[in-house]
Amino acid sequence: MAEKVRWLTPEEQHAWRNFIRLQERLGGRLARLLQSESNVSAADFAVLVHLTDVPEGRQRYQDLSRALEWEKSRMSHHIARMVSRGMVVRQECPEDGRGAFVVITDAGRAAIEAAAPLHVEAVRSLFLDHVTPAELRTLAEISERVVSKLDED
């Protein structure tokens, strides 16, 4: 027996489509800015942010892939490109012969240090300057609740 589809109401559809449009446009603008102003792609920036947030600037491939919601092949290909540019290195895991770490290099740290001020200023001018503190708190609460539910799955 097929489940009944819970179609979106006009209000839900309007909110959902605007949320998606916001995400796509904001992501696109930030990506173009990073690439043109600092020669760092949005994907590079995401990897580097995660590596600067963990001790020793290193993380297992599978954990980084999970954190970024990337498929194994995408992670592998992108990290290979970053290795060739000197932003990260691949380090074998001594405890697990099949596992490996992605480790940020000095060049990777320099790249994110140069890109971060551009990124934060763009986040402010494109997004934060257009929401109230109360709206920002509400957005944070909604985001945390939905991400928490997604993490359960």
Side-chain angles (χ1 to χ4, degrees):
M1 186 153 123
E3 290 185 34
K4 184 178 178 189
V5 175
R6 297 185 316 141
W7 295 106
L8 301 181
T9 66
E11 182 180 21
E12 291 168 335
Q13 188 175 61
H14 177 76
W16 176 249
R17 286 184 178 178
N18 279 313
F19 170 73
I20 295 300
R21 195 170 311 128
L22 166 70
Q23 185 181 19
E24 290 169 345
R25 288 196 182 159
L26 189 57
R29 296 261 176 102
L30 288 170
R32 285 190 300 278
L33 176 88
L34 282 171
Q35 188 67 52
S36 67
E37 299 293 323
S38 64
N39 203 29
V40 172
S41 72
D44 294 339
F45 191 80
V47 168
L48 295 172
V49 164
H50 277 277
L51 293 177
T52 58
D53 285 348
V54 294
E56 301 173 22
R58 70 182 206 153
Q59 194 167 30
R60 290 181 68 109
Y61 263 79
Q62 66 187 32
D63 295 335
L64 185 56
S65 181
R66 194 175 303 118
L68 294 172
E69 297 276 342
W70 287 3
E71 297 295 326
K72 183 179 176 182
S73 63
R74 179 181 182 192
M75 178 62 65
S76 182
H77 289 295
H78 192 79
I79 296 302
R81 288 191 296 274
M82 291 181 77
V83 166
S84 72
R85 291 171 35 224
M87 299 173 105
V88 298
V89 294
R90 185 180 192 278
Q91 193 178 73
E92 297 301 320
C93 179
E95 300 87 35
D96 177 4
R98 296 177 300 159
F101 290 98
V102 179
V103 184
I104 192 169
T105 63
D106 290 343
R109 286 191 190 282
I112 195 161
E113 287 170 6
L118 298 167
H119 183 264
V120 75
E121 186 52 43
V123 168
R124 286 194 177 286
S125 67
L126 297 172
F127 180 70
L128 294 174
D129 290 347
H130 307 286
V131 297
T132 67
E135 290 168 332
L136 192 60
R137 282 190 299 275
T138 299
L139 178 62
E141 291 167 5
I142 293 166
S143 299
E144 288 169 12
R145 185 171 56 244
V146 172
V147 167
S148 178
K149 179 63 180 154
L150 292 171
D151 287 348
E152 289 175 12
D153 301 337

